[in-house]
Amino acid sequence: MNDKMFKQTRFRLTLLFTSLIVVFLISFTAVSYIVVSSLITSKQKQQVTALAEEEYMEHKSDLLNWHNHHQNHLDKGANGQHHLLDYHPERQLFYYVISRNGEIIKGDESFPEIRENILQLINGWNPKNKEIRRETIKLGNGESISLLLSGKPVFQNNTRIGTIYTGINITTQIYIVKVLISVLCVISIIFIGLSVLLGYYMSGKAMVPIANAFQRQKEFVANASHELRTPLSIFQSSLEVIEADERDKLGEFSLQVFDDMKDELRRMTKLINDLLWLARSDANAIELTKEWFLLPPVIDELIRKCRPLAEQKHIKFVTNIQKDMAIYGDKERIIQLIFILLDNAVKYNTENGQIKIAVERDRKNVNIEISDTGIGIPVEQQALIFERFYRADPSRSRKQQGNGIGLSIAKWIVDAHGGTIRVQSEEGKGSRFIVTLPQPAN
């Protein structure tokens, strides 16, 4: 984990914290709007239905008396004519007692300027029990008035003789709810901004002990690896001396033990070198020396190195690369990259398998593909194989002397060149690693 990875981790923690705050604030605002709006609306509906019942009990007799008095002239009444209308501008409630032919018998209103609009809305409406309608009236100045309307019909001998309509002006309440939501939205935006700063600060604090622990780990790995190189070098020199002077004197079993010791020494040396390489990469102590070089001779040399193990498993190599293919990059690192991929392709291949190496170049990139017919990688593990010390199948990796470092080194080399590496694999059918390295224009 280098500085870039620490920054990415800190960014992810900040994003996670901010996302949680955003979800909480959005949920809080939505719930607040629903609860407040529901409470206000419910209270207003209760008011308008209660008013309808109250006015019905109070003015039912007025409508009956008027109907009986005008029985002979019922169909001659003037539509829209009003008799006794009280004016109370301070009230938000209103009612109209209207005959079946639309004549206003009595009423109480607070805004006569919209009376005609209201009469148009209730014209022909025969409200059912506790039925409520919500209506909006647009005024000439662009403003609007929101109303809740209810009513109760009055019957005589099963014949409707009129209706008592009631209503309430809820414009102010709706405005209050809208203002409340606007304020909550503004406050939420402010808190989201503060949560980003707070999340970034807190994630930085949380990363401090992790960074310190990782730094101590890097120092330990670097120091331990460096200290181990000396005894391993002495051990290797000693084995070479013994092999030169005493090999002919050793028995068959002793020779087998001797060869096993040499294999383990090579494996440990490779592991120590890899650990030192990772420690240097974490400390940004590795610098790339880029140059143009021919790639085919490099691949031929790497195939020769891998051929002894490949021949034991009867694995064939197939190459598809132009003879004059040149590539720009750090030669030693790219050799290391390709060798890691070829070594894995041999180790995890099957008997009588095949390894294909294809290199293509376009105007901007060189694409290197190395595919095998081996055991493959499960889909759920493909995103993890480039992590350090991760092994898709530990038992197989131990058998093949794998330590889970190679692919992480390969990814570092590709990243250092500004390229990409990805894998396509199907369990039991092999794997294909695709490396894309950007190239300068010719």
Side-chain angles (χ1 to χ4, degrees):
M1 183 181 290
N2 50 29
D3 292 339
K4 180 180 178 181
M5 296 180 66
F6 272 113
K7 291 179 180 178
Q8 291 175 345
T9 302
R10 185 176 185 181
F11 173 77
R12 287 196 294 267
L13 289 175
T14 303
L15 182 62
L16 176 62
F17 177 78
T18 304
S19 299
L20 293 175
I21 294 296
V22 169
V23 170
F24 171 78
L25 290 175
I26 291 176
S27 302
F28 175 77
T29 302
V31 170
S32 299
Y33 171 77
I34 294 172
V35 171
V36 173
S37 180
S38 298
L39 289 175
I40 292 177
T41 303
S42 176
K43 182 65 176 179
Q44 292 166 339
K45 288 180 177 180
Q46 292 176 6
Q47 279 186 293
V48 75
T49 53
L51 179 63
E53 292 289 342
E54 180 183 341
E55 300 300 337
Y56 175 81
M57 298 301 298
E58 184 175 349
H59 299 291
K60 174 182 178 182
S61 58
D62 295 335
L63 189 54
L64 290 172
N65 292 336
W66 185 91
H67 175 74
N68 293 332
H69 181 72
H70 295 82
Q71 181 66 43
N72 297 329
H73 307 284
L74 185 61
D75 296 328
K76 298 179 182 179
N79 187 23
Q81 180 182 353
H82 55 90
H83 294 264
L84 298 175
L85 288 177
D86 296 329
Y87 177 61
H88 298 282
E90 74 283 356
R91 297 183 61 186
Q92 299 298 314
L93 303 171
F94 63 91
Y95 75 90
Y96 295 112
V97 180
I98 301 179
S99 67
R100 69 178 183 182
N101 66 344
E103 185 174 350
I104 300 177
I105 309 303
K106 200 171 185 180
D108 188 345
E109 60 185 1
S110 56
F111 23 78
E113 64 274 11
I114 63 171
R115 182 192 309 137
E116 294 301 324
N117 301 89
I118 296 175
L119 292 177
Q120 289 178 7
L121 292 173
I122 63 178
N123 183 33
W125 178 36
N126 185 20
K128 299 177 182 178
N129 184 38
K130 295 186 178 181
E131 182 181 356
I132 298 173
R133 286 170 55 176
R134 179 172 174 172
E135 302 287 352
T136 301
I137 297 175
K138 298 291 185 180
L139 302 180
N141 58 4
E143 297 181 359
S144 61
I145 295 178
S146 299
L147 305 173
L148 284 181
L149 302 175
S150 186
K152 283 185 71 68
V154 179
F155 293 90
Q156 186 179 52
N157 298 326
N158 294 326
T159 300
R160 186 176 68 86
I161 62 174
T163 306
I164 299 174
Y165 295 98
T166 58
I168 181 172
N169 183 0
I170 60 171
T171 305
T172 302
Q173 288 82 350
I174 291 178
Y175 174 76
I176 291 173
V177 172
K178 289 181 178 179
V179 170
L180 173 63
I181 296 304
S182 299
V183 171
L184 287 177
C185 289
V186 172
I187 293 175
S188 298
I189 292 173
I190 294 174
F191 270 92
I192 289 173
L194 293 176
S195 69
V196 172
L197 298 177
L198 180 61
Y200 188 77
Y201 174 77
M202 295 300 294
S203 62
K205 288 291 186 181
M207 293 298 293
V208 169
I210 299 175
N212 292 337
F214 182 70
Q215 181 62 31
R216 289 193 294 270
Q217 175 188 327
K218 288 196 302 182
E219 293 173 356
F220 170 77
V221 171
N223 293 334
S225 301
H226 183 74
E227 293 297 326
L228 285 172
R229 294 187 73 176
T230 300
L232 285 177
S233 298
I234 296 174
F235 188 26
Q236 183 175 4
S237 300
S238 300
L239 287 179
E240 291 174 354
V241 171
I242 293 174
E243 184 176 22
D245 295 341
E246 305 292 336
R247 186 174 182 86
D248 294 337
K249 301 178 183 179
L250 296 176
E252 182 177 352
F253 178 75
S254 298
L255 287 173
Q256 182 63 49
V257 172
F258 186 82
D259 290 336
D260 290 342
M261 291 173 63
K262 288 171 59 180
D263 290 339
E264 287 300 315
L265 177 61
R266 281 193 294 268
R267 188 178 71 84
M268 290 187 66
T269 301
K270 181 179 183 303
L271 175 60
I272 296 301
N273 289 333
D274 287 345
L275 289 175
L276 277 174
W277 196 92
L278 288 176
R280 292 179 60 204
S281 67
D282 288 335
N284 296 321
I286 299 178
E287 295 183 359
L288 299 182
T289 303
K290 294 185 178 181
E291 60 181 324
W292 286 100
F293 63 94
L294 292 175
L295 193 58
V298 169
I299 293 179
D300 291 340
E301 180 183 353
L302 293 175
I303 290 176
R304 286 194 298 272
K305 289 183 178 180
C306 295
R307 196 175 296 280
L309 180 58
E311 289 178 347
Q312 293 178 16
K313 302 170 72 173
H314 307 289
I315 296 172
K316 295 181 180 180
F317 290 92
V318 177
T319 60
N320 181 13
I321 180 174
Q322 296 178 2
K323 292 183 178 180
D324 58 346
M325 173 71 71
I327 185 174
Y328 183 77
D330 188 309
K331 183 176 181 179
E332 293 302 319
R333 298 295 163 238
I334 292 177
I335 290 175
Q336 186 179 11
L337 163 67
I338 298 175
F339 179 75
I340 290 171
L341 298 180
L342 285 177
D343 187 52
N344 281 350
V346 173
K347 286 180 179 178
Y348 298 104
N349 214 324
T350 55
E351 292 286 338
N352 301 309
Q354 182 176 267
I355 297 174
K356 293 182 179 180
I357 307 164
V359 182
E360 295 181 352
R361 177 169 183 161
D362 54 32
R363 291 188 304 172
K364 296 182 178 180
N365 303 300
V366 165
N367 300 313
I368 303 172
E369 296 186 8
I370 298 177
S371 57
D372 61 64
T373 56
I375 60 177
I377 305 168
V379 175
E380 65 275 9
Q381 297 179 352
Q382 291 177 16
L384 303 173
I385 60 173
F386 296 105
E387 300 292 333
R388 295 182 185 181
F389 306 106
Y390 181 83
R391 295 181 292 187
D393 189 339
S395 61
R396 286 181 180 267
S397 295
R398 282 192 294 268
K399 183 178 179 181
Q400 301 295 342
Q401 298 183 353
N403 50 41
I405 299 178
L407 287 179
S408 64
I409 294 177
K411 187 175 188 308
W412 186 95
I413 295 172
V414 173
D415 290 342
H417 281 81
T420 61
I421 181 171
R422 54 193 176 93
V423 61
Q424 296 175 351
S425 182
E426 186 174 350
E427 204 168 0
K429 294 186 178 181
S431 304
R432 181 169 67 150
F433 286 85
I434 304 162
V435 176
T436 300
L437 300 175
Q439 297 291 287
N442 290 333

